[in-house]
Amino acid sequence: MKFEISRDFPTYFRPAYPEEFELFSHFETTAAIPTALFALTTWKENGKPNVCFHAWSCFHGDKTAFFAVMGNLYQHTHTYANILRERCFCINFLPIRYYDRLVDTIQNNAYDMDEFQAGGFSLSEAKTIHAPAIEEAFINMECTLKSAQDLSGAGSTAMIVGEVQHISVAEEYAQGYERRYGRDGFMLLIPAPQDLRTGAPAQSAIATLRIERLD
């Protein structure tokens, strides 16, 4: 038996918070697909550094280029405006011990705030683009804007595609699997999995990776 969920909103689904299904598709909590969490950093128009704690993305390319494909970036945010204006951004991967400090940047994100200071992060300049980078990140990925597209046409979110120009990797993460995959490595967002029998909501979860086998 499989539960069949269509485009029509399941009326028995209960939100975890009042605006959940105004912000997200019910398919997100139906599938609950994990994606990497990272800090997206840009300059605000007033010269203050901006931090956006983000997921909903994938990374891939071919021999000619490598791309960061970021979905669900809200068009009303500083980050979206900064990317369109500056035509670039930096992606910073941090381990789970920085989670609370990244959440602090969400709660202290006014236009006139230094969001690096809000999160207690050290600022460094990107090597190839005009963007701030988080020194504590074990990987910094510098991207130029390739495209921005409103997939739904609703004027709410956009899909941003960045072309990677440069990557900086901390020395202790430059070899092997141990540091990148585990508590010191990538963290992932697991969207709250809806109970498909009852429609009851769940909490989102933050995960780390464990290697099960080599291929």
Side-chain angles (χ1 to χ4, degrees):
M1 174 184 171
K2 290 186 176 180
F3 286 87
E4 310 294 340
I5 308 295
S6 70
R7 284 175 56 93
D8 295 329
F9 179 74
T11 56
Y12 72 101
F13 272 27
R14 301 198 301 277
Y17 48 92
E19 67 273 22
E20 180 177 17
F21 294 118
E22 297 297 321
L23 296 173
F24 298 102
S25 166
H26 63 276
F27 282 145
E28 173 148 341
T29 60
T30 299
I33 301 167
T35 53
L37 273 164
F38 54 85
L40 182 59
T41 52
T42 54
W43 291 114
K44 300 177 188 178
E45 193 170 16
N46 62 4
K48 299 286 188 180
N50 184 70
V51 179
C52 175
F53 198 16
H54 192 68
W56 305 285
S57 303
C58 60
F59 304 86
H60 54 83
D62 56 32
K63 68 177 184 179
T64 68
F66 189 66
F67 300 99
V69 181
M70 305 185 303
N72 210 49
L73 189 64
Y74 284 98
Q75 295 183 40
H76 69 270
T77 61
H78 303 311
T79 300
Y80 182 71
N82 297 342
I83 290 172
L84 293 187
R85 185 184 63 256
E86 300 289 341
R87 311 293 294 179
C88 63
F89 54 89
C90 188
I91 290 171
N92 308 266
F93 292 99
L94 294 113
I96 195 167
R97 65 178 177 272
Y98 290 101
Y99 178 83
D100 290 336
R101 287 163 61 174
L102 288 163
V103 171
D104 287 341
T105 70
I106 299 173
Q107 298 168 344
N108 298 277
N109 67 351
Y111 178 66
D112 61 350
M113 292 203 70
D114 179 331
E115 296 179 34
F116 275 62
Q117 188 177 62
F121 295 117
S122 305
L123 188 151
S124 62
E125 296 281 352
K127 306 295 190 301
T128 63
I129 59 172
H130 182 240
I134 295 176
E135 185 64 31
E136 289 83 356
F138 61 88
I139 292 179
N140 307 102
M141 186 179 291
E142 301 175 16
C143 304
T144 53
L145 177 62
K146 180 74 171 178
S147 64
Q149 185 178 1
D150 184 340
L151 291 178
S152 70
S156 176
T157 64
M159 181 181 73
I160 297 290
V161 179
E163 185 170 348
V164 178
Q165 303 297 327
H166 185 83
I167 295 178
S168 300
V169 181
E171 183 177 3
E172 60 269 33
Y173 289 80
Q175 293 179 295
Y177 298 93
E178 184 176 354
R179 294 302 296 268
R180 292 195 196 191
Y181 312 103
R183 288 189 60 83
D184 289 327
F186 296 101
M187 60 175 155
L188 291 86
L189 171 67
I190 301 175
Q194 207 81 21
D195 186 320
L196 301 183
R197 290 183 181 275
T198 67
Q203 288 181 283
S204 296
I206 310 302
T208 55
L209 291 163
R210 184 180 69 183
I211 292 176
E212 299 291 348
R213 61 179 293 174
L214 299 179
D215 184 13

